[in-house]
Amino acid sequence: MGFNDILLMDDPGKAELVRMLSAENEDKQLLFDRAARVKEEQVSRKVYFRGLIEFSNICSKNCYYCGIRKGNTKTARYNLSDDEILHAARYAHEKRYGSVVLQAGELRSPAFTRRIEKLCRGIKELSGGELGITLSLGEQDQDTYQRWFESGAHRYLLRIETSNRELYRKIHPPDEYHDFDTRNRCLRELQDIGYQSGTGVMIGLPYQTIERLADDLIFMKEIDVDMVGMGPYIEHHDTPLYRFRHELLPAGARFQLALKMIAALRILMKDINIAAATALQAIDPLGREKGIRAGANVIMPNVTPGLYRNDYALYENKPCTDEDPDDCLDCLDARVQLADGEIGYGEWGDSKHYMKRIQGQNKLQ
Ligand code: SAM
Ligand code: SF4
């Protein structure tokens, strides 16, 4: 089958996805063009902003790839006060970002559950209910997810990191706190509660193959996610995975592979929200805009106060770490337009896929 025919398939299978992820030169451009067309037809050219508040780098886990893992004693730990978080949310609201994302290291405790509940209610109150809230706070029990949902959060991001059980085991410590099945269970519970649920993977991990990445895309389709955020894996010198740095694809190739993953996913899951991950920009200054061109429709500008940004270093070269939020907004606005996008200021930009999924469920009831 010709490459063009593959791109026009309604439901490409693994072999076709592998061909998309292997595309080079003209085929690669065809892939990006097709993804851009699908995006425009299915979810429009609108790009939605989510103001990202990385409110704490304190984490109880030890993922081998992550710079803020508990075992990294070189990271200065911080935890924004509630006032600082609400201030950042107010800033996002004033700038007419439709939503905020609260992201942090993973903590599980009754006090933490209560804190997030209070923050969600506070964000709803200060914005008169206008700001949408996405949480990205790792694995929690179902009751906690439920309480946060009832407090106003309506989207949750929990990357599976890789859908391959063996690879998952290699990039995490072998204990009950880093369990593949638990992560999957959390994803199911989030959907059952009614969140718009998002997942994603890191691209270019050691031991990862194109076939495994194609499996990751199929996994996303099978669990029927509403949104995806995925970007290149970027090494960090104070993490256990750093010793495999010589076996990685060069950064430029990891970047291109990440763009191809975005484009292939847009063709596979036409109406979901796809975020252009910040990690794209760590490799290429125009990385997120290229992600938009390849099929993404969400950007998460960082609204964390500049003072703390250097300490949320998941990987090396994390962009915009020294800047104040305003610098990011000015550059982003122009760049999105250059990438043929149109910003949906003040809009939640909910996943169309989610809307259809919920309507379908209601009809069945
Ligand atoms: N602690 C929560 C969790 O793990 O879901 C949320 C914060 S965590 C820092 C957010 C994401 O950062 C992870 O899901 C992971 O994919 C990504 N990340 C961590 N280390 C990375 C690295 N070295 N390169 C690229 N992405 C990384
Ligand atoms: Fe903690 Fe998330 Fe980093 Fe894992 S990826 S160490 S859970 S912050």
Side-chain angles (χ1 to χ4, degrees), residues 278-356:
T278 311
L280 288 169
Q281 202 190 345
I283 297 183
D284 181 325
L286 287 175
R288 285 183 301 188
E289 295 70 17
K290 290 182 181 170
I292 295 293
R293 275 193 188 276
N297 67 332
V298 170
I299 290 190
M300 310 204 303
N302 201 331
V303 296
T304 313
L307 188 65
Y308 300 104
R309 296 219 203 147
N310 282 325
D311 293 324
Y312 201 83
L314 310 178
Y315 43 78
E316 282 157 24
N317 285 335
K318 195 160 174 268
C320 284
T321 43
D322 292 323
E323 296 169 2
D324 279 331
D326 268 327
D327 298 324
C328 285
L329 178 63
D330 290 346
C331 58
L332 265 177
D333 194 304
R335 286 161 162 208
V336 167
Q337 298 196 28
L338 280 176
D340 274 346
E342 180 191 310
I343 299 167
Y345 277 115
E347 295 179 49
W348 281 12
D350 280 338
S351 155
K352 293 219 163 41
H353 186 80
Y354 172 79
M355 303 300 187
K356 288 184 204 159

Coordinates of all heavy atoms in Angstrom, one line a residue, residues 278-356:
T278 N 6.3 20.7 26.9 CA 7.4 21.7 27.1 C 8.7 21.0 26.7 O 9.6 21.7 26.2 CB 7.4 22.1 28.6 OG1 6.1 22.5 28.9 CG2 8.3 23.3 28.8
A279 N 8.8 19.7 26.9 CA 10.1 19.1 26.6 C 10.5 19.2 25.1 O 11.7 19.2 24.8 CB 10.0 17.6 26.9
L280 N 9.5 19.5 24.2 CA 9.8 19.7 22.8 C 10.7 21.0 22.7 O 11.6 21.0 21.9 CB 8.6 19.9 22.0 CG 7.7 18.7 21.7 CD1 6.3 19.2 21.2 CD2 8.4 17.7 20.8
Q281 N 10.4 22.0 23.5 CA 11.1 23.2 23.4 C 12.5 23.2 24.1 O 13.3 24.0 23.8 CB 10.2 24.3 24.2 CG 10.5 25.7 23.8 CD 9.8 26.7 24.7 OE1 8.9 26.3 25.4 NE2 10.2 27.9 24.7
A282 N 12.7 22.1 24.9 CA 14.0 22.0 25.5 C 15.0 21.6 24.4 O 16.2 21.8 24.5 CB 14.0 20.9 26.6
I283 N 14.6 21.0 23.3 CA 15.5 20.5 22.3 C 15.5 21.6 21.1 O 16.5 21.9 20.6 CB 15.0 19.1 21.7 CG1 15.1 18.1 22.8 CG2 15.9 18.7 20.5 CD1 14.8 16.7 22.4
D284 N 14.3 22.1 20.8 CA 14.3 23.1 19.7 C 13.5 24.3 20.2 O 12.4 24.1 20.7 CB 13.5 22.4 18.6 CG 13.4 23.3 17.3 OD1 13.2 24.6 17.5 OD2 13.4 22.8 16.2
P285 N 14.1 25.5 20.1 CA 13.4 26.7 20.6 C 12.0 26.9 20.1 O 11.1 27.4 20.7 CB 14.3 27.8 20.2 CG 15.6 27.2 19.8 CD 15.4 25.8 19.5
L286 N 11.7 26.3 18.9 CA 10.4 26.4 18.3 C 9.6 25.1 18.4 O 8.7 24.8 17.7 CB 10.5 26.9 16.9 CG 10.8 28.3 16.6 CD1 11.0 28.6 15.1 CD2 9.8 29.3 17.2
G287 N 10.1 24.3 19.4 CA 9.5 22.9 19.5 C 8.0 22.8 19.6 O 7.4 22.0 19.0
R288 N 7.5 23.6 20.5 CA 6.0 23.5 20.8 C 5.2 24.0 19.5 O 4.2 23.4 19.2 CB 5.6 24.3 22.0 CG 6.0 23.6 23.3 CD 5.6 24.4 24.5 NE 6.1 25.7 24.5 CZ 6.0 26.5 25.6 NH1 5.3 26.1 26.6 NH2 6.5 27.7 25.5
E289 N 5.7 25.0 18.8 CA 5.0 25.4 17.6 C 5.1 24.4 16.6 O 4.1 24.1 15.8 CB 5.7 26.7 17.1 CG 5.5 27.9 18.1 CD 6.3 27.8 19.4 OE1 7.3 27.0 19.4 OE2 6.0 28.5 20.3
K290 N 6.2 23.7 16.5 CA 6.3 22.6 15.5 C 5.4 21.5 15.9 O 4.8 20.8 15.1 CB 7.8 22.1 15.4 CG 8.7 23.1 14.7 CD 10.1 22.7 14.6 CE 10.9 23.8 13.9 NZ 12.4 23.5 13.9
G291 N 5.2 21.3 17.2 CA 4.2 20.3 17.7 C 2.8 20.7 17.3 O 2.0 19.8 16.9
I292 N 2.5 22.0 17.3 CA 1.2 22.5 16.8 C 1.0 22.2 15.3 O 0.0 21.7 14.9 CB 1.0 24.0 17.1 CG1 1.1 24.3 18.6 CG2 -0.2 24.6 16.4 CD1 -0.1 23.8 19.4
R293 N 2.0 22.4 14.6 CA 2.0 22.1 13.2 C 1.8 20.7 12.9 O 1.2 20.3 11.9 CB 3.3 22.6 12.5 CG 3.2 24.1 12.1 CD 4.4 24.4 11.1 NE 4.5 25.8 10.9 CZ 3.8 26.4 10.0 NH1 3.0 25.8 9.2 NH2 4.0 27.7 9.8
A294 N 2.3 19.8 13.8 CA 2.3 18.4 13.5 C 1.0 17.8 14.1 O 0.8 16.6 14.0 CB 3.5 17.7 14.2
G295 N 0.1 18.6 14.6 CA -1.2 18.0 15.0 C -1.7 18.3 16.5 O -2.8 18.0 16.9
A296 N -0.8 19.0 17.3 CA -1.2 19.3 18.7 C -2.1 20.5 18.7 O -2.1 21.3 17.8 CB 0.0 19.5 19.5
N297 N -2.9 20.6 19.8 CA -3.8 21.8 19.8 C -3.9 22.4 21.2 O -4.8 23.2 21.5 CB -5.2 21.4 19.3 CG -5.9 20.4 20.2 OD1 -5.3 19.6 20.9 ND2 -7.3 20.4 20.3
V298 N -3.0 22.0 22.1 CA -2.9 22.6 23.4 C -1.5 22.9 23.8 O -0.5 22.2 23.5 CB -3.4 21.5 24.5 CG1 -3.2 22.0 25.9 CG2 -4.9 21.3 24.3
I299 N -1.3 24.1 24.4 CA 0.0 24.5 24.9 C -0.1 24.9 26.4 O -1.2 25.5 26.8 CB 0.6 25.7 24.1 CG1 0.9 25.3 22.7 CG2 1.8 26.3 24.8 CD1 1.7 26.3 22.0
M300 N 0.9 24.5 27.2 CA 0.8 24.8 28.6 C 1.8 25.8 29.0 O 2.9 25.4 29.5 CB 0.9 23.5 29.4 CG 0.0 22.4 28.9 SD -0.5 21.1 30.0 CE 1.1 20.5 30.5
P301 N 1.5 27.1 28.9 CA 2.5 28.1 29.2 C 2.8 28.1 30.8 O 1.8 27.9 31.5 CB 1.9 29.5 28.8 CG 0.7 29.1 28.0 CD 0.3 27.7 28.4
N302 N 4.0 28.2 31.1 CA 4.3 28.1 32.6 C 4.0 29.4 33.3 O 4.5 30.5 32.9 CB 5.8 27.9 32.7 CG 6.2 27.2 34.0 OD1 5.5 27.5 35.0 ND2 7.2 26.4 34.0
V303 N 3.1 29.3 34.3 CA 2.8 30.5 35.1 C 3.3 30.4 36.5 O 2.9 31.2 37.4 CB 1.3 30.9 35.1 CG1 0.8 31.2 33.7 CG2 0.4 29.7 35.6
T304 N 4.2 29.5 36.7 CA 4.8 29.3 38.1 C 5.7 30.6 38.3 O 6.4 31.0 37.3 CB 5.7 28.1 38.1 OG1 5.0 27.0 37.5 CG2 6.2 27.7 39.5
P305 N 5.7 31.2 39.5 CA 6.6 32.3 39.7 C 8.0 32.0 39.3 O 8.5 30.9 39.7 CB 6.4 32.6 41.2 CG 5.1 32.0 41.6 CD 4.9 30.8 40.6
G306 N 8.7 32.9 38.6 CA 10.1 32.6 38.1 C 11.1 32.1 39.1 O 11.9 31.3 38.8
L307 N 10.9 32.6 40.3 CA 11.8 32.3 41.4 C 12.0 30.8 41.6 O 13.0 30.3 42.0 CB 11.2 32.9 42.7 CG 11.9 32.9 44.0 CD1 13.1 33.8 43.8 CD2 11.0 33.5 45.1
Y308 N 10.9 30.0 41.4 CA 10.9 28.6 41.7 C 11.2 27.7 40.5 O 11.4 26.5 40.6 CB 9.5 28.2 42.2 CG 9.2 28.9 43.5 CD1 8.2 29.9 43.5 CD2 9.7 28.6 44.7 CE1 7.9 30.6 44.6 CE2 9.4 29.2 45.9 CZ 8.5 30.2 45.8 OH 8.1 30.9 47.0
R309 N 11.2 28.3 39.3 CA 11.2 27.5 38.1 C 12.5 26.7 37.9 O 12.4 25.5 37.5 CB 11.1 28.4 36.9 CG 9.7 29.0 36.9 CD 9.2 29.0 35.5 NE 8.2 30.1 35.4 CZ 8.0 30.8 34.4 NH1 8.7 30.5 33.3 NH2 7.1 31.7 34.4
N310 N 13.6 27.2 38.3 CA 14.9 26.5 38.2 C 14.8 25.2 39.0 O 15.5 24.2 38.6 CB 16.1 27.3 38.6 CG 16.4 28.3 37.5 OD1 16.3 28.0 36.4 ND2 16.9 29.5 38.0
D311 N 14.1 25.1 40.0 CA 14.1 23.9 40.9 C 13.1 22.9 40.4 O 13.1 21.8 41.0 CB 13.8 24.4 42.3 CG 14.9 25.2 42.9 OD1 16.0 24.9 42.6 OD2 14.6 26.1 43.7
Y312 N 12.3 23.2 39.4 CA 11.4 22.1 38.9 C 12.1 21.5 37.6 O 11.5 21.5 36.5 CB 10.0 22.7 38.5 CG 8.9 21.6 38.4 CD1 8.3 21.1 39.6 CD2 8.6 21.1 37.2 CE1 7.3 20.2 39.5 CE2 7.6 20.1 37.1 CZ 6.9 19.7 38.3 OH 6.0 18.7 38.2
A313 N 13.3 21.1 37.8 CA 14.1 20.7 36.7 C 14.0 19.1 36.5 O 14.7 18.4 37.1 CB 15.6 21.0 36.8
L314 N 13.0 18.7 35.7 CA 12.8 17.3 35.4 C 13.9 16.8 34.6 O 14.3 15.6 34.6 CB 11.5 17.1 34.7 CG 10.3 17.8 35.2 CD1 9.1 17.5 34.3 CD2 10.0 17.3 36.6
Y315 N 14.5 17.7 33.7 CA 15.5 17.3 32.7 C 16.4 18.5 32.4 O 16.0 19.6 32.9 CB 14.8 16.7 31.4 CG 13.7 17.6 31.0 CD1 13.8 18.8 30.3 CD2 12.4 17.2 31.2 CE1 12.8 19.5 29.9 CE2 11.3 17.9 30.8 CZ 11.5 19.1 30.2 OH 10.4 19.9 29.8
E316 N 17.4 18.3 31.7 CA 18.3 19.4 31.4 C 17.8 20.3 30.3 O 16.9 19.9 29.5 CB 19.7 18.8 31.0 CG 20.4 18.4 32.2 CD 21.5 17.3 31.9 OE1 22.0 17.2 30.8 OE2 21.8 16.6 32.9
N317 N 18.2 21.6 30.4 CA 17.8 22.6 29.4 C 16.3 22.9 29.4 O 15.7 23.2 28.4 CB 18.1 22.1 27.9 CG 19.5 22.3 27.6 OD1 20.2 23.1 28.2 ND2 19.9 21.4 26.7
K318 N 15.7 22.8 30.6 CA 14.2 23.1 30.6 C 14.0 24.5 30.3 O 14.7 25.4 30.9 CB 13.7 22.7 32.0 CG 12.2 22.7 32.1 CD 11.7 21.9 33.2 CE 10.2 22.0 33.3 NZ 9.7 23.1 34.2
P319 N 13.2 24.8 29.3 CA 13.1 26.2 28.8 C 12.4 27.1 29.8 O 11.6 26.7 30.6 CB 12.3 26.1 27.5 CG 11.5 24.8 27.7 CD 12.3 23.9 28.6
C320 N 12.6 28.4 29.6 CA 11.8 29.5 30.3 C 12.0 29.4 31.8 O 11.2 30.0 32.5 CB 10.3 29.5 30.0 SG 9.9 30.1 28.4
T321 N 13.1 28.8 32.3 CA 13.2 28.6 33.7 C 13.5 30.0 34.4 O 13.2 30.1 35.5 CB 14.2 27.6 34.1 OG1 15.4 27.8 33.3 CG2 13.7 26.2 33.9
D322 N 14.2 30.9 33.7 CA 14.6 32.1 34.4 C 13.6 33.2 34.1 O 13.7 34.3 34.6 CB 15.9 32.6 33.9 CG 17.0 31.6 34.4 OD1 16.9 31.1 35.5 OD2 17.9 31.4 33.6
E323 N 12.6 33.0 33.3 CA 11.7 34.1 32.9 C 10.5 34.3 33.8 O 10.1 33.4 34.5 CB 11.2 33.8 31.5 CG 12.4 33.8 30.5 CD 11.9 33.3 29.2 OE1 10.7 33.0 29.0 OE2 12.8 33.2 28.3
D324 N 9.9 35.5 33.7 CA 8.7 35.7 34.4 C 7.6 35.3 33.4 O 7.8 35.2 32.2 CB 8.5 37.2 34.7 CG 9.3 37.5 36.0 OD1 9.4 36.6 36.8 OD2 9.8 38.7 36.1
P325 N 6.4 35.0 33.9 CA 5.3 34.5 33.0 C 5.1 35.4 31.8 O 4.8 34.9 30.7 CB 4.1 34.5 34.0 CG 4.6 34.3 35.3 CD 6.0 35.0 35.3
D326 N 5.2 36.7 32.0 CA 4.8 37.6 30.9 C 5.7 37.4 29.6 O 5.2 37.4 28.5 CB 5.0 39.1 31.3 CG 3.7 39.6 31.8 OD1 2.6 39.1 31.3 OD2 3.7 40.4 32.7
D327 N 7.0 37.1 29.9 CA 7.9 36.8 28.7 C 7.4 35.7 27.9 O 7.4 35.7 26.7 CB 9.3 36.5 29.2 CG 9.9 37.6 30.0 OD1 9.6 38.8 29.6 OD2 10.6 37.4 31.0
C328 N 6.9 34.7 28.6 CA 6.4 33.5 27.9 C 5.2 33.8 27.1 O 5.0 33.4 25.9 CB 6.1 32.4 28.9 SG 7.5 31.6 29.5
L329 N 4.3 34.6 27.6 CA 3.0 34.9 26.9 C 3.3 35.7 25.6 O 2.7 35.3 24.6 CB 2.1 35.7 27.8 CG 0.8 36.1 27.1 CD1 0.0 34.8 26.8 CD2 -0.1 37.0 28.0
D330 N 4.1 36.7 25.7 CA 4.4 37.5 24.5 C 5.0 36.7 23.4 O 4.5 36.7 22.3 CB 5.4 38.6 24.9 CG 4.7 39.7 25.7 OD1 3.5 39.6 25.8 OD2 5.4 40.5 26.3
C331 N 5.9 35.8 23.7 CA 6.5 35.0 22.7 C 5.5 34.0 22.1 O 5.4 33.8 20.9 CB 7.9 34.4 23.0 SG 7.9 33.3 24.4
L332 N 4.8 33.4 23.0 CA 3.8 32.3 22.6 C 2.8 32.8 21.6 O 2.4 32.2 20.6 CB 3.2 31.7 23.8 CG 3.8 30.5 24.4 CD1 3.0 30.1 25.6 CD2 3.8 29.4 23.3
D333 N 2.2 34.0 22.0 CA 1.1 34.5 21.2 C 1.5 34.6 19.7 O 0.8 34.1 18.8 CB 0.7 35.9 21.7 CG -0.6 36.4 21.2 OD1 -0.7 36.4 20.0 OD2 -1.5 36.7 22.0
A334 N 2.7 35.2 19.5 CA 3.1 35.4 18.1 C 3.4 34.1 17.4 O 3.1 33.8 16.3 CB 4.3 36.3 18.0
R335 N 4.0 33.2 18.2 CA 4.5 31.9 17.7 C 3.4 31.0 17.2 O 3.4 30.3 16.3 CB 5.4 31.2 18.7 CG 6.7 31.8 18.9 CD 7.2 31.3 20.2 NE 8.6 31.4 20.3 CZ 9.4 30.7 21.1 NH1 8.8 29.7 21.8 NH2 10.7 30.8 21.2
V336 N 2.3 31.0 18.0 CA 1.1 30.2 17.7 C 0.6 30.6 16.4 O 0.2 29.8 15.5 CB 0.1 30.2 18.8 CG1 -1.2 29.6 18.3 CG2 0.5 29.5 20.0
Q337 N 0.5 31.9 16.2 CA 0.0 32.4 14.9 C 0.9 32.0 13.7 O 0.4 31.7 12.7 CB -0.2 33.9 15.0 CG -1.2 34.3 16.1 CD -1.7 35.7 16.0 OE1 -1.8 36.2 14.9 NE2 -2.1 36.2 17.1
L338 N 2.2 32.0 14.0 CA 3.1 31.6 12.9 C 2.9 30.1 12.6 O 3.2 29.7 11.5 CB 4.6 31.8 13.4 CG 5.1 33.3 13.2 CD1 6.5 33.3 13.8 CD2 5.1 33.7 11.8
A339 N 2.5 29.4 13.6 CA 2.3 27.9 13.4 C 0.9 27.7 12.8 O 0.3 26.5 13.0 CB 2.5 27.2 14.7
D340 N 0.2 28.7 12.2 CA -1.1 28.5 11.7 C -2.2 28.3 12.7 O -3.2 27.7 12.3 CB -1.1 27.4 10.7 CG -0.7 27.8 9.3 OD1 -0.6 29.0 9.1 OD2 -0.4 26.9 8.5
G341 N -1.9 28.6 13.9 CA -2.9 28.4 15.0 C -3.7 29.7 15.3 O -3.3 30.8 14.9
E342 N -4.7 29.5 16.1 CA -5.5 30.7 16.5 C -5.9 30.4 17.9 O -6.4 29.3 18.3 CB -6.8 30.6 15.6 CG -7.8 31.7 15.8 CD -9.1 31.2 15.0 OE1 -9.0 30.9 13.9 OE2 -10.1 31.2 15.7
I343 N -5.5 31.3 18.8 CA -5.6 31.0 20.2 C -7.1 31.1 20.7 O -7.8 32.1 20.4 CB -4.7 32.0 21.1 CG1 -3.3 31.8 20.6 CG2 -4.9 31.7 22.6 CD1 -2.3 32.8 21.1
G344 N -7.5 30.1 21.4 CA -8.9 30.2 22.0 C -8.8 30.8 23.4 O -9.0 30.2 24.4
Y345 N -8.6 32.2 23.4 CA -8.5 32.9 24.6 C -9.8 32.7 25.5 O -10.9 32.8 24.9 CB -8.3 34.4 24.4 CG -6.8 34.7 24.2 CD1 -6.4 35.2 22.9 CD2 -5.9 34.5 25.2 CE1 -5.0 35.4 22.7 CE2 -4.5 34.8 25.0 CZ -4.1 35.3 23.7 OH -2.8 35.5 23.5
G346 N -9.6 32.5 26.7 CA -10.8 32.4 27.7 C -11.7 31.2 27.5 O -12.7 31.1 28.1
E347 N -11.3 30.2 26.7 CA -12.1 29.0 26.4 C -11.5 27.8 27.2 O -10.3 27.7 27.2 CB -12.2 28.7 25.0 CG -12.9 29.8 24.2 CD -12.9 29.4 22.7 OE1 -13.3 28.3 22.4 OE2 -12.6 30.3 21.9
W348 N -12.3 27.0 27.7 CA -11.8 25.7 28.3 C -11.2 24.8 27.3 O -10.3 24.1 27.6 CB -13.0 25.0 29.0 CG -13.3 25.6 30.3 CD1 -12.9 26.8 30.8 CD2 -14.2 25.0 31.3 NE1 -13.5 27.0 32.0 CE2 -14.2 25.9 32.4 CE3 -14.9 23.8 31.4 CZ2 -14.9 25.6 33.6 CZ3 -15.6 23.5 32.6 CH2 -15.6 24.4 33.6
G349 N -11.8 24.8 26.1 CA -11.2 23.9 25.1 C -11.3 22.5 25.4 O -10.3 21.7 25.4
D350 N -12.4 22.1 25.9 CA -12.6 20.7 26.3 C -12.4 19.7 25.1 O -12.7 20.1 24.0 CB -14.0 20.4 26.9 CG -14.0 20.9 28.3 OD1 -12.9 21.0 29.0 OD2 -15.1 21.2 28.9
S351 N -12.0 18.5 25.4 CA -11.8 17.5 24.4 C -13.1 17.1 23.7 O -14.0 16.7 24.3 CB -11.1 16.3 25.0 OG -11.3 15.2 24.3
K352 N -13.1 17.3 22.4 CA -14.3 16.9 21.6 C -14.6 15.4 21.8 O -15.7 15.0 21.8 CB -14.1 17.2 20.1 CG -14.1 18.7 19.9 CD -14.8 19.0 18.6 CE -15.1 20.5 18.4 NZ -14.2 21.5 18.8
H353 N -13.5 14.7 21.9 CA -13.7 13.2 22.1 C -14.4 12.9 23.4 O -15.3 12.0 23.4 CB -12.3 12.6 22.2 CG -12.3 11.1 22.2 ND1 -12.4 10.3 21.1 CD2 -12.1 10.2 23.2 CE1 -12.4 9.1 21.4 NE2 -12.2 9.0 22.7
Y354 N -14.1 13.7 24.4 CA -14.7 13.5 25.7 C -16.2 13.7 25.6 O -17.1 13.0 26.1 CB -14.1 14.4 26.7 CG -14.8 14.5 28.1 CD1 -14.7 13.5 29.0 CD2 -15.7 15.5 28.4 CE1 -15.3 13.5 30.2 CE2 -16.4 15.6 29.6 CZ -16.2 14.6 30.5 OH -16.9 14.6 31.7
M355 N -16.6 14.9 24.9 CA -18.0 15.2 24.7 C -18.7 14.1 24.1 O -19.8 13.7 24.5 CB -18.1 16.5 23.9 CG -17.4 17.7 24.4 SD -18.0 18.1 26.1 CE -17.2 19.6 26.4
K356 N -18.1 13.5 23.0 CA -18.8 12.5 22.3 C -18.9 11.2 23.2 O -19.9 10.5 23.2 CB -18.1 12.1 21.0 CG -18.2 13.2 19.9 CD -17.5 12.8 18.7 CE -17.1 14.0 17.8 NZ -16.0 13.6 16.9

